[in-house]
Amino acid sequence: MHRTDESLLLEAIRGDDCSFSELARRWEKKIFGFVFRYNGNREDSQDVVQSTFIKAYKNLDKLQDTGSFSAWLYRIALNECRIGFRKSNRIRDREVSFGSRDESSSVTGADLGVDNVTPERILSGREELNRLGEAFYRLPGEQREVILMREYQGLRFREISEVLDVPLSTVKSRLYLGLKTLRKFMEETQ
Amino acid sequence: MKCNESVDIMLNIIYGEEVDPEKAYGFFSHLKECTSCDLEFKELSETRVMLGDWVAEEEEVPEKEAVAGIHLPRRRVNWWGAVQKIAATLLIAVGAVAAGQAVGLIPEKRVEIPEGQLTRIVNDVVVERQSEGWVVIGKALVSLKEDIDSRDRQQTEVFYEDLTEMEERFLRVMEENQFQSREMTSQ
């Protein structure tokens, strides 16, 4: 029988560790993806994910609205990321490799408006993605966070506003500025 | 529709958020008239496509390090942490009061001492000072005595040397006299 996150959460709040473990299992991949994108370091990301779930576990009784578990969890993960980022004061040893979703397909070439996909074209597309990654990590933290949540976590604008505890208009303006900055960087480094 | 109004709808459209059909129609009509917004819409859409292509190759959670294996700590009251927090709060409070007193924001509390107790304290201090004075005088006396003894020893040594010298001289004179007496007797 499939149990909803909310029912698992209620059981976990009552002290059922198995329910919490099940919740953690369901969310770990998403949270890892989020954290890994945020700091770009695999080892640090594993630590951050661990501390995120441990903090969530310890503070279950402080969760006011069980319906907003995901926003609450993302908020914890984001805080952990920020703490880790401040500690290192930079994105160190970034291990994120940049690639297209399918190297063998014409995704890169096609999206660049190229009909004949040659190795050179693919390489050029890959370089472009590398530059994009570079630009992404140069973005101000608040813009990077919004892009990360919207683009790679699939959160709606309203959910992001809930996670960050800022108005919807702020979420949109950060996203807009982030996209513009990325675009500008790509053009300048072309 | 104005350019600044179009940004909000532009993002909603690019990210597939809900858009009022009338506003969407107004937005696309605006794009036909405004080349700058039209260009921006294309550029933001392209940037989004590029972001969509960017995949972190190692994004998968490693199986063996799955979070499900996290060793969950016991949810219990952290007494040591609480004690530390209380101690820190007290320290901060004491520091704040001291700082306040230093700059005159908080008046210092006057300590009232009963007369009898004050007298005892003064006496204790005087006695203590006197004791210290006697110790100093005693030390000076001992030092003086050692000095005098040392000088005495030196003077005695000089006197002894003088005596010795006088004795030697006396013996020499005696020997000379005896010699002269023998000479005279033999003559």
Side-chain angles (χ1 to χ4, degrees):
Chain A
M1 190 182 88
H2 182 77
R3 294 169 69 192
T4 61
D5 282 358
E6 199 164 354
S7 72
L8 285 170
L9 189 58
L10 286 169
E11 289 299 314
I13 291 171
R14 288 189 196 113
D16 181 14
D17 288 349
C18 293
S19 295
F20 185 80
S21 293
E22 175 59 26
L23 264 179
R25 202 174 292 118
R26 284 185 189 181
W27 281 92
E28 64 176 327
K29 193 174 176 182
K30 268 188 172 265
I31 297 296
F32 182 84
F34 173 73
V35 172
F36 188 44
R37 287 270 185 184
Y38 189 99
N39 63 26
N41 181 285
R42 189 178 184 77
E43 198 177 323
D44 288 352
S45 301
Q46 284 164 358
D47 293 343
V48 170
V49 171
Q50 293 259 339
S51 60
T52 298
F53 280 102
I54 286 172
K55 270 206 176 154
Y57 178 76
K58 282 182 176 172
N59 293 292
L60 273 177
D61 52 337
K62 290 179 189 163
L63 178 60
Q64 304 285 335
D65 176 15
T66 51
S68 60
F69 173 70
S70 62
W72 181 71
L73 193 60
Y74 272 114
R75 203 175 301 139
I76 295 174
L78 187 60
N79 281 336
E80 291 298 300
C81 285
R82 286 171 177 168
I83 290 167
F85 189 72
R86 271 200 298 272
K87 274 182 189 169
S88 62
N89 205 25
R90 67 198 168 93
I91 296 167
R92 64 179 174 86
D93 305 330
R94 186 152 33 83
E95 293 172 349
V96 181
S97 304
F98 312 112
S100 71
R101 291 200 183 279
D102 183 3
E103 293 281 25
S104 61
S105 75
S106 60
V107 171
T108 310
D111 288 333
L112 294 173
V114 179
D115 292 331
N116 297 326
V117 182
T118 63
E120 290 78 18
R121 296 280 189 203
I122 290 174
L123 194 65
S124 155
R126 198 178 172 84
E127 278 170 7
E128 191 167 40
L129 289 172
N130 270 319
R131 282 193 290 121
L132 183 72
E134 195 66 39
F136 179 78
Y137 285 107
R138 281 169 185 256
L139 283 178
E142 54 191 24
Q143 293 173 17
R144 195 170 66 242
E145 287 163 12
V146 173
I147 291 181
L148 214 160
M149 282 188 263
R150 182 63 190 91
E151 200 67 58
Y152 302 108
Q153 299 298 302
L155 298 186
R156 314 298 291 182
F157 291 154
R158 199 160 292 283
E159 290 172 311
I160 299 171
S161 139
E162 199 183 336
V163 172
L164 296 175
D165 198 22
V166 294
L168 196 60
S169 56
T170 307
V171 172
K172 287 185 180 177
S173 68
R174 286 180 185 176
L175 180 66
Y176 175 73
L177 289 173
L179 292 177
K180 292 273 281 182
T181 311
L182 284 179
R183 181 83 197 177
K184 194 178 169 201
F185 182 86
M186 296 297 283
E187 282 173 357
E188 282 173 359
T189 55
Q190 205 162 18
Chain B
M1 183 177 282
K2 290 176 183 171
C3 295
N4 59 353
E5 291 170 347
S6 74
V7 173
D8 185 64
I9 302 170
M10 193 186 291
L11 285 171
N12 282 344
I13 290 171
I14 290 172
Y15 281 95
E17 297 267 338
E18 278 182 32
V19 186
D20 178 11
E22 268 188 44
K23 284 186 177 177
Y25 178 79
F27 170 72
F28 284 110
S29 303
H30 175 72
L31 290 191
K32 283 180 186 170
E33 298 161 3
C34 179
T35 49
S36 137
C37 283
D38 187 45
L39 180 67
E40 189 159 60
F41 180 62
K42 281 176 186 163
E43 285 181 350
L44 291 183
S45 302
E46 282 172 10
T47 309
R48 214 211 140 183
V49 169
M50 276 195 291
L51 279 169
D53 283 342
W54 178 43
V55 179
E57 289 172 357
E58 295 187 59
E59 205 170 313
E60 291 293 315
V61 185
E63 284 295 323
K64 62 177 181 180
E65 288 154 3
V67 174
I70 284 178
H71 179 67
L72 296 173
R74 280 186 183 178
R75 271 178 274 179
R76 60 183 179 186
V77 180
N78 183 0
W79 289 109
W80 178 236
V83 168
Q84 283 178 321
K85 279 177 190 166
I86 290 167
T89 310
L90 281 174
L91 274 175
I92 291 166
V94 169
V97 169
Q101 284 176 344
V103 296
L105 287 174
I106 303 170
E108 284 191 52
K109 192 182 175 185
R110 293 178 66 84
V111 180
E112 299 287 340
I113 302 173
E115 197 180 341
Q117 193 183 345
L118 185 66
T119 309
R120 279 198 300 279
I121 292 169
V122 171
N123 282 339
D124 289 347
V125 171
V126 170
V127 168
E128 194 181 344
R129 290 278 163 84
Q130 282 177 345
S131 305
E132 285 172 5
W134 282 119
V135 169
V136 172
I137 291 169
K139 281 182 181 173
L141 282 173
V142 169
S143 170
L144 185 63
K145 187 175 174 293
E146 285 174 353
D147 204 23
I148 290 168
D149 285 350
S150 166
R151 278 188 205 163
D152 283 351
R153 268 199 304 276
Q154 283 174 0
Q155 282 176 352
T156 309
E157 282 168 10
V158 172
F159 183 61
Y160 180 78
E161 283 172 8
D162 288 346
L163 276 177
T164 310
E165 196 181 325
M166 282 170 71
E167 188 186 9
E168 285 173 355
R169 201 182 301 147
F170 174 74
L171 285 172
R172 275 201 305 275
V173 170
M174 283 292 285
E175 277 177 11
E176 284 172 10
N177 286 345
Q178 280 175 358
F179 179 77
Q180 283 176 358
S181 300
R182 274 198 300 274
E183 285 287 313
M184 285 172 71
T185 309
S186 64
Q187 285 175 1

